[in-house]
Amino acid sequence: MNIFQMKAFIETAQAASISKAAHHLHLTQPAVSQQLQSLEKCLGHQLFLRSNKGVKLTEYGNIFYSYAQSFITLWENLQNDLATVEENHTSLRIGTCAAIGQYALPCALYLFKQKKPQLSVSVQSFPSLQILGQLREHSIQIGFIQNGCDLKDFNYSPVLKSRFILAAPPSTTVTSLDLTDLHTIPLICSSDDSDLKKALRLSLLEYGFELNLLTPLLELDGIESIKSTV
Amino acid sequence: MNIFQMKAFIETAQAASISKAAHHLHLTQPAVSQQLQSLEKCLGHQLFLRSNKGVKLTEYGNIFYSYAQSFITLWENLQNDLATVEENHTSLRIGTCAAIGQYALPCALYLFKQKKPQLSVSVQSFPSLQILGQLREHSIQIGFIQNGCDLKDFNYSPVLKSRFILAAPPSTTVTSLDLTDLHTIPLICSSDDSDLKKALRLSLLEYGFELNLLTPLLELDGIESIKSTV
DNA sequence: TAATGTTACGGTTGTCGTAAGAATC
DNA sequence: GATTCTTACGACAACCGTAACATTA
């Protein structure tokens, strides 16, 4: 009987589905199913009614639901309490890739500072691979990176999904475009070793498209430069 | 992070000693030590200051102590709640060996009934081995037995330690007695297949004494009969 | 067929007990 | 030496992911 099983239970109850909960928890569906079975065995009561349309809480499940929420809340408060007593951690060091650091992070950081005003936060931008190295040596405590890195041995969770936008100048007359048409138009994209291009290449590979076969008109470093040029 | 680790933590904090806590928890000392280390790793803080005189709570340990107590209380209330909702369990069937059933259980049962007045409790006495069989087939829900049974596959916990008393008639003049002297005096003890005699034999074996070598004057069934005869 | 769930199985990780080590009274 | 806690190691159980299966809209 552990805290994580309670989290799995709550996720499942809220989603009314083991598969959906598994997805939220970044686990496979059988794994969550197993945890719930273990939980039921431990409590000695069936918590869910299973069907092929999902799951529903039993009477016992409803009782346990309120307790599980209490457990989670207690757990979160505990962690807050332990963290605030931490004298040496009045500062938080964050490393981030350029994309997150320029757009998503500033707003999130502003909201975070309102909740923890006494905490001094430092943020620096680096390429994703470099951030992983800094995490390994504890020179930063949190890192934001872009997809396509080997995250073995790290605690991680996805925080943002973004789409790639093909930006055209205002004068353009093209209204629809196929991937194969990319060969035919003059392109400007970021330079080869940038995080952005790596992620873009990975995404396009999922559609069977090899980005490296393109010969762009220009290669620029940084999204803002590209936007200006277009 | 599980409930049991918190129990281990609380036991250790209260006993200010890992060894003593391990004894209370029916575990070995290294096992508890390992659980506490796991707990500290999970929380990210050292909870105890170790020394060769025992352990002492750190500042973080003190914070966690109050939380751990809350967790345990929450856990116990949960189990109570789940149990009281149980419609089919408004009756509790208990099997017990004679020794417990005649002396310790009636008082305990009286106190228990005050806490759960709506619960109907049935108690029947059987030999210890028979009780294990009834537990296996769920014909009783709780069993009290005497030492010396194979408890594999059962959930069990010691509830009572008792001493064996050598009872002599009021007229006796003997003031001290060695185990080896047992051969020289006329003995009355319970019959061979009784739980009591089995337990007595096991206990005496720990002192290197084989009870079966004695040839008692009388073998009677039941403590009350023996007391009368003496 | 696509969605839900479960069961089976192999590899990895966690947990226990035994045994041995280190430190202190 | 006795007591304290820790570390090392082997056996066993728990847990996750893959794969295969069952059921139903």
Side-chain angles (χ1 to χ4, degrees):
Chain A
M1 166 60 54
N2 56 49
I3 301 290
F4 179 72
Q5 287 178 330
M6 302 196 189
K7 282 187 184 164
F9 168 82
I10 287 192
E11 275 292 339
T12 305
Q14 287 175 346
S17 154
I18 300 184
S19 332
K20 291 193 181 69
H23 193 250
H24 294 159
L25 297 165
H26 305 296
L27 286 175
T28 59
Q29 179 271 322
V32 177
S33 199
Q34 193 180 340
Q35 290 300 330
L36 296 178
Q37 284 169 14
S38 161
L39 192 59
E40 288 176 324
K41 188 181 167 190
C42 169
L43 294 171
H45 296 288
Q46 193 171 345
L47 299 174
F48 289 109
L49 294 169
R50 274 86 160 169
S51 77
N52 54 341
K53 300 173 69 176
V55 297
K56 224 182 75 180
L57 285 177
T58 63
E59 187 182 356
Y60 292 114
N62 276 314
I63 296 175
F64 182 63
Y65 187 76
S66 61
Y67 275 94
Q69 284 185 314
S70 303
F71 272 108
I72 301 298
T73 306
L74 193 57
W75 178 248
E76 286 170 351
N77 289 342
L78 162 64
Q79 304 216 321
N80 276 336
D81 252 31
L82 287 178
T84 51
V85 172
E86 183 90 289
E87 304 91 341
N88 306 330
H89 283 55
T90 52
S91 68
L92 181 64
R93 297 181 301 279
I94 299 179
T96 174
C97 59
I100 297 274
Q102 282 180 37
Y103 303 102
L105 197 55
C107 172
L109 218 53
Y110 175 74
L111 296 172
F112 180 68
K113 279 286 282 185
Q114 289 188 320
K115 291 179 70 175
K116 305 270 181 185
Q118 81 290 356
L119 201 66
S120 81
V121 183
S122 82
V123 180
Q124 278 192 284
S125 291
F126 297 102
S128 294
L129 276 180
Q130 209 166 319
I131 288 177
L132 293 185
Q134 292 175 343
L135 279 173
R136 280 206 186 82
E137 64 190 24
H138 291 78
S139 62
I140 58 174
Q141 293 151 328
I142 298 177
F144 295 93
I145 61 172
Q146 269 188 335
N147 210 351
C149 300
D150 179 15
L151 292 176
K152 198 159 143 38
D153 301 331
F154 287 95
N155 288 322
Y156 64 94
S157 99
V159 291
L160 196 68
K161 273 191 178 183
S162 67
R163 291 179 296 175
F164 288 99
I165 304 289
L166 182 71
S171 58
T172 188
T173 55
V174 180
T175 55
S176 80
L177 202 60
D178 195 275
L179 272 182
T180 51
D181 297 327
L182 285 181
H183 297 278
T184 66
I185 52 176
L187 281 177
I188 303 172
C189 73
S190 49
S191 57
D192 263 335
D193 57 348
S194 75
D195 284 332
L196 200 58
K197 182 142 181 195
K198 283 180 192 161
L200 177 58
R201 183 168 165 272
L202 275 176
S203 296
L204 288 178
L205 266 180
E206 286 181 22
Y207 297 98
F209 189 86
E210 176 52 66
L211 181 61
N212 290 352
L213 297 180
L214 290 185
T215 50
L217 183 66
L218 270 176
E219 284 196 354
L220 292 175
D221 220 343
I223 282 193
E224 290 306 324
S225 320
I226 299 180
K227 276 160 67 181
S228 311
T229 315
V230 169
Chain B
M1 166 60 53
N2 55 49
I3 302 290
F4 178 72
Q5 286 178 331
M6 302 198 188
K7 282 188 183 165
F9 168 82
I10 288 192
E11 276 291 338
T12 305
Q14 287 174 346
S17 155
I18 301 184
S19 335
K20 291 193 181 67
H23 193 249
H24 294 160
L25 297 165
H26 305 295
L27 285 175
T28 60
Q29 180 271 321
V32 177
S33 198
Q34 195 178 340
Q35 290 300 330
L36 296 178
Q37 283 169 15
S38 160
L39 193 59
E40 287 176 324
K41 188 182 168 190
C42 169
L43 294 171
H45 295 289
Q46 192 170 345
L47 300 173
F48 290 110
L49 295 169
R50 274 86 161 169
S51 77
N52 54 345
K53 301 173 69 177
V55 295
K56 224 181 74 178
L57 285 177
T58 63
E59 187 183 357
Y60 293 114
N62 276 314
I63 295 174
F64 182 62
Y65 187 77
S66 62
Y67 276 95
Q69 285 185 313
S70 302
F71 272 108
I72 301 298
T73 307
L74 193 57
W75 179 247
E76 287 170 352
N77 289 342
L78 163 64
Q79 305 217 320
N80 277 335
D81 251 31
L82 287 177
T84 50
V85 173
E86 183 93 288
E87 304 92 341
N88 306 329
H89 283 55
T90 51
S91 69
L92 181 63
R93 298 180 301 278
I94 299 178
T96 174
C97 60
I100 297 274
Q102 282 178 37
Y103 302 103
L105 198 55
C107 172
L109 218 53
Y110 175 74
L111 296 172
F112 180 69
K113 279 285 282 186
Q114 290 188 321
K115 291 179 69 175
K116 304 270 182 184
Q118 81 291 356
L119 201 65
S120 80
V121 183
S122 82
V123 180
Q124 277 192 285
S125 291
F126 295 102
S128 293
L129 275 180
Q130 210 165 318
I131 287 177
L132 292 185
Q134 291 175 345
L135 279 173
R136 279 206 186 81
E137 65 191 22
H138 291 77
S139 62
I140 59 174
Q141 293 151 328
I142 298 178
F144 295 94
I145 60 171
Q146 270 187 335
N147 210 351
C149 300
D150 179 16
L151 292 176
K152 196 160 143 39
D153 300 332
F154 287 96
N155 288 321
Y156 63 95
S157 98
V159 292
L160 198 66
K161 273 192 179 180
S162 66
R163 290 179 297 175
F164 288 99
I165 304 289
L166 182 71
S171 57
T172 188
T173 56
V174 181
T175 54
S176 81
L177 200 61
D178 196 274
L179 272 182
T180 52
D181 297 326
L182 286 181
H183 297 278
T184 67
I185 51 175
L187 282 177
I188 304 173
C189 75
S190 50
S191 57
D192 263 336
D193 56 347
S194 75
D195 284 333
L196 200 59
K197 181 140 180 197
K198 284 179 191 162
L200 177 58
R201 183 166 164 272
L202 275 176
S203 295
L204 288 178
L205 267 181
E206 286 182 22
Y207 297 99
F209 189 85
E210 177 52 68
L211 181 63
N212 290 352
L213 296 179
L214 290 184
T215 49
L217 182 65
L218 269 177
E219 286 195 352
L220 293 175
D221 219 343
I223 284 192
E224 289 307 323
S225 319
I226 298 179
K227 275 160 67 180
S228 311
T229 317
V230 169

